[in-house]
Amino acid sequence: MRTPSKLLTSAGVGLLALLAASGCTAPAAGPPATEQAKTLQIATDDEPGRPAAAQVEEFARQVKEASGGKILIEPLWKAVGHDKDDWDQAVARGVVAGDFDMGLVPARAWDTEGVGSFAALHAPFLVTSNSLLAKVTEPAIADEMLAGLDKVGVSGLALFPEGTRMLFSFGKPALKPGDLAGKKVRAPRSETTYALLKALGATPDDLVGELFPEGLAAGTVVAAESSFAFAGTLPEPTTVTGNLVLYPKVNSLVVNAKALQTLSDAEQQLLRTAAAATRTWAAENMTTATDDAAKFCKDGGTVVTATEAEAALFKAAGAPVYAKIEADPEAKARIAKIRDLAAAEPAPDAIKPCSPGG
């Protein structure tokens, strides 16, 4: 029996001879098939209009442009649904499990998932300005922290700076740890950041769904750990202690290790290059704290500032958190590097108190 390829060859010769005898020509070949674009889905709990969403959109733009449209990034906004408990961790677990190809996950969330390499980044009262935040997300420091993700089955491509986090109070401002004692503070889940809030005497909780407004109505929730970018989403007007930065928010761009291996070496490098370009873009597009504070007041918020003595009380209360973080020699070394960078930073412009409309 002849093989299919030989049968096709024999039939083709006969057809050409018949066409030649009748004066006909063979039909022209169709256009070559176009290469289908590869699409990678990136999960995030955010939605368009928020700082992290802008980072996702910029990364997608960078990848599309660099690949000539051969690789596309498809955002999955609110990837785990609304009012999900531990929402950042839910996205992280989805990337680890391979449910999502990629994710943009706040770095703070990984410490509940067995990754402790970002602890130094969230050490209390250490990274307190956007200029320092931009430096600690550069590869010289960031790559060491991102390497800690390998053990859970994801690869870290870059860290994107978003902004600093403060205490936004409902009613009485938080000017000393005692103002939080025995009360709830709404905060996204993180072992390191929860440890600080507990050290300040508060009970941290992510308060999903109606638990947040219900707690406000009952008087059990006195503040939210948040940023100027999100202050407008809080259910009531707030007063922020503007010169008391707790820690920064940094977003980790991660890809499932198995999904990454389906790409060629050149494609993997393209993703890393696009991630680095997006990090630079994110750093350059952070707004200043003074501008953010002024806008916050115009939009109905109030800014107060703590005295040096009051700020010292917060820092003293957070000392046990440092002791726990620095028990890890690698984290202790990273904190020392960040302190050296901070010492070389010029003093940021002071945030001035202001009132609604001011």
Side-chain angles (χ1 to χ4, degrees), residues 63-145:
V63 170
K64 183 177 181 180
E65 182 177 289
S67 69
K70 293 179 180 179
I71 302 178
L72 302 177
I73 303 298
E74 179 186 353
L76 298 177
W77 309 117
K78 286 291 179 183
V80 295
H82 293 267
D83 298 336
K84 175 73 175 179
D85 199 28
D86 298 346
W87 55 84
D88 292 329
Q89 283 81 5
V91 173
R93 292 165 193 158
V95 180
V96 170
D99 298 331
F100 310 124
D101 300 316
M102 303 184 68
L104 191 68
V105 180
R108 66 189 176 209
W110 288 107
D111 61 9
T112 67
E113 308 306 299
V115 179
S117 56
F118 299 110
L121 192 60
H122 303 102
F125 315 112
L126 180 60
V127 179
T128 59
S129 70
N130 284 353
S131 58
L132 180 57
L133 176 53
K135 289 184 177 179
V136 299
T137 56
E138 291 178 352
I141 292 182
D143 286 354
E144 292 181 359
M145 295 186 283

Side-chain angles (χ1 to χ4, degrees), residues 272-346:
R272 296 184 187 282
T273 301
T278 303
R279 190 214 69 82
T280 300
W281 173 90
E284 292 174 348
N285 282 274
M286 283 192 293
T287 54
T288 67
T290 51
D291 287 346
D292 289 342
K295 182 179 184 303
F296 172 69
C297 286
K298 287 182 179 179
D299 291 343
T302 301
V303 174
V304 299
T305 54
T307 65
E308 288 188 13
E310 289 168 335
L313 291 175
F314 279 96
K315 293 176 181 178
V321 181
Y322 268 94
K324 183 177 180 180
I325 294 173
E326 292 184 327
D328 176 0
E330 291 185 357
K332 184 174 183 178
R334 289 189 191 112
I335 287 175
K337 287 182 182 179
I338 294 173
R339 282 180 172 148
D340 288 343
L341 289 173
E345 282 283 296

Side-chain angles (χ1 to χ4, degrees), residues 124-125 177-178 180 192-204 313-322:
F125 315 112
L180 306 175
T192 306
T193 58
Y194 273 31
L196 173 61
L197 293 172
K198 289 177 181 178
L200 298 178
T203 300
L313 291 175
F314 279 96
K315 293 176 181 178
V321 181
Y322 268 94

Side-chain angles (χ1 to χ4, degrees), residues 217-264:
T220 57
V221 178
V222 297
E225 177 267 279
S226 192
S227 66
F228 285 119
F230 285 88
T233 68
L234 297 174
E236 293 181 7
T238 55
T239 298
V240 62
T241 310
N243 65 336
L244 190 69
V245 174
L246 304 178
Y247 32 70
K249 183 183 177 186
V250 175
N251 298 314
S252 61
L253 180 66
V254 299
V255 57
N256 176 274
K258 291 181 180 178
L260 186 63
Q261 291 305 313
T262 66
L263 303 177
S264 68

